[in-house]
Amino acid sequence: MAYKDFGVDLGSENTFICKKNKGIIVNEPSVIAVDSVSDRVIAIGREAKQMIGRVPSTIDVEYTIQEGVISSFERTGLLLREFLKPHDSGFGKTRMVLSIPCRSTAVERKAVEDVAHTCGAKETYVIEEPLAAALGSGIDIFAPNGRMVVDMGAGTTEIAVVSLGSVVSYHYIPAAGKMLNTSIINHIRRVHNVLIGEPTAEALKIKLGTVEDVGSTEFMMVSGRELSKGLPVNIEVTSEHIRDAIYPSVQSIVEGISYTLEHIDPELSSDIISNGILITGGTAMMPGWTSLIETAIGVKAELSTIPLECVAAGCANSFDVLDELKRHNAII
């Protein structure tokens, strides 16, 4: 039987869909705009994200995934159907592998499967995100050899040790991309008495964000509202401001890696010292992570070659080793 196989990473910020043998076909914000009266989809993805804060009360614009978990079942289904519509034509049975956080409950896992079914998938499977990230980064997850994966997403950071096709140990931290944005907003408010929005904070993080001092200072002009007068104002923000703002969250991630290493078997620790730490996710693309982890933890760290896409790619690659994943109870 012919199959149409899709790997899906429903992220808190972006949704990635990888079609087997085609590569990434969708990379869009996990945002949907819906007419609250007629329930008609107004916009999805980037177009919907641009509407945030700019729509009348009759239109709801929302992220459908919060901290890696479905926050709105119906609208997540609508969003996924719209993303898949241009790519799910032709003959064949549709199958999907979707990623889930390690901490997901049985109810949350079932919700992910049900969303896939509403989109026409005849077979659905779920796999834990660190396993998918490792698989998508080219790691042999079935080897009797421990590998640490630090997946720094938008909603959460998951630190997992993978061995023999399973997640042996994991640690969850709420510090991730969206928390960094909030930290930047709070810092600008405290230092400059100016309120900026999350899109501006995101732009500052991307342009100026580093986790270590890189020896030079960069600047960016942004607009906000001066709180004492309530009027628009332009201010200059430096890379040092951003580094100070995100420091507590960065430290909590480093401490989480250390905590995970302290609570695993010595044999696995030895493997990780030999193999290093793989970091993935959008937040991992911020300059300085590998050197910071190596200095603080004393273990070599490397960034995945496809840090944003590796989870979706790993989900799609799962179809090549589906039987083996089932034998290891790594896919449900």
Side-chain angles (χ1 to χ4, degrees):
M1 180 181 290
Y3 291 106
K4 295 177 291 183
D5 293 336
F6 298 93
V8 181
D9 174 15
L10 292 171
S12 300
E13 179 64 31
N14 283 0
T15 291
F16 291 87
I17 302 176
C18 182
K19 190 172 185 179
K20 191 77 180 91
N21 301 322
K22 289 282 186 72
I24 299 295
I25 57 172
V26 173
N27 171 9
E28 293 275 356
S30 304
V31 186
I32 189 169
V34 179
D35 187 311
S36 59
V37 178
S38 64
D39 221 28
R40 180 173 61 90
V41 176
I42 304 296
I44 59 170
R46 291 182 181 84
E47 185 182 351
K49 186 176 180 179
Q50 292 175 348
M51 296 180 178
I52 293 176
R54 299 181 173 96
V55 294
S57 59
T58 54
I59 297 178
D60 295 331
V61 184
E62 63 177 311
Y63 281 90
T64 62
I65 309 294
Q66 300 291 336
E67 296 189 0
V69 176
I70 291 174
S71 61
S72 170
F73 176 83
E74 290 184 1
R75 292 188 176 176
T76 301
L78 283 172
L79 184 71
L80 190 54
R81 278 199 298 277
E82 292 295 321
F83 282 152
L84 285 168
K85 193 180 293 182
H87 309 283
D88 196 18
S89 58
F91 296 102
K93 182 179 180 180
T94 299
R95 302 189 298 179
M96 289 187 202
V97 173
L98 302 96
S99 64
I100 54 171
C102 292
R103 70 186 190 284
S104 296
T105 64
V107 172
E108 290 165 348
R109 293 177 184 222
K110 182 67 165 54
V112 171
E113 292 177 336
D114 289 346
V115 162
H117 282 304
T118 67
C119 298
K122 302 304 180 185
E123 291 182 26
T124 63
Y125 306 93
V126 293
I127 185 172
E128 290 172 316
E129 285 176 5
L131 273 179
L135 195 57
S137 299
I139 291 175
D140 180 5
I141 64 172
F142 302 108
N145 204 349
R147 292 296 301 260
M148 175 174 277
V149 179
V150 181
D151 185 22
M152 305 179 194
T156 62
T157 293
E158 284 200 311
I159 303 163
V161 178
V162 175
S163 180
L164 287 170
S166 300
V167 173
V168 179
S169 176
Y170 82 92
H171 185 55
Y172 151 76
I173 300 173
K178 287 184 178 293
M179 182 175 284
L180 298 186
N181 292 346
T182 300
S183 298
I184 291 169
I185 291 170
N186 292 339
H187 185 82
I188 298 298
R189 182 171 187 161
R190 184 170 61 253
V191 173
H192 295 281
N193 198 37
V194 170
L195 181 64
I196 62 172
E198 184 167 355
T200 302
E202 176 80 9
L204 284 167
K205 182 181 67 178
I206 292 171
K207 176 74 180 298
L208 305 179
T210 63
V211 298
E212 281 193 315
D213 188 350
V214 294
S216 61
T217 301
E218 293 189 33
F219 305 86
M220 181 174 170
M221 294 297 297
V222 297
S223 300
R225 187 172 77 243
E226 212 278 329
L227 291 172
S228 61
K229 299 179 181 179
L231 299 175
V233 64
N234 293 323
I235 59 169
E236 183 180 81
V237 180
T238 69
S239 52
E240 185 178 353
H241 286 140
I242 303 305
R243 193 165 56 250
D244 289 345
I246 67 176
Y247 177 80
S249 294
V250 169
Q251 283 302 112
S252 68
I253 292 174
V254 173
E255 290 167 5
I257 296 171
S258 178
Y259 175 88
T260 305
L261 283 169
E262 290 169 4
H263 289 80
I264 58 176
D265 291 337
E267 289 79 9
L268 288 171
S269 295
S270 177
D271 289 343
I272 292 166
I273 290 171
S274 300
N275 298 326
I277 297 171
L278 176 71
I279 59 174
T280 70
T283 303
M285 297 174 69
M286 192 179 298
W289 273 114
T290 54
S291 59
L292 176 64
I293 291 171
E294 288 173 5
T295 301
I297 306 297
V299 178
K300 181 183 177 183
E302 63 175 328
L303 179 66
S304 170
T305 55
I306 47 171
L308 284 170
E309 303 166 355
C310 60
V311 172
C315 289
N317 292 346
S318 298
F319 290 106
D320 291 333
V321 289
L322 198 57
D323 291 338
E324 197 165 1
L325 286 167
K326 289 178 180 178
R327 281 198 298 273
H328 286 82
N329 295 318
I331 201 164
I332 302 170

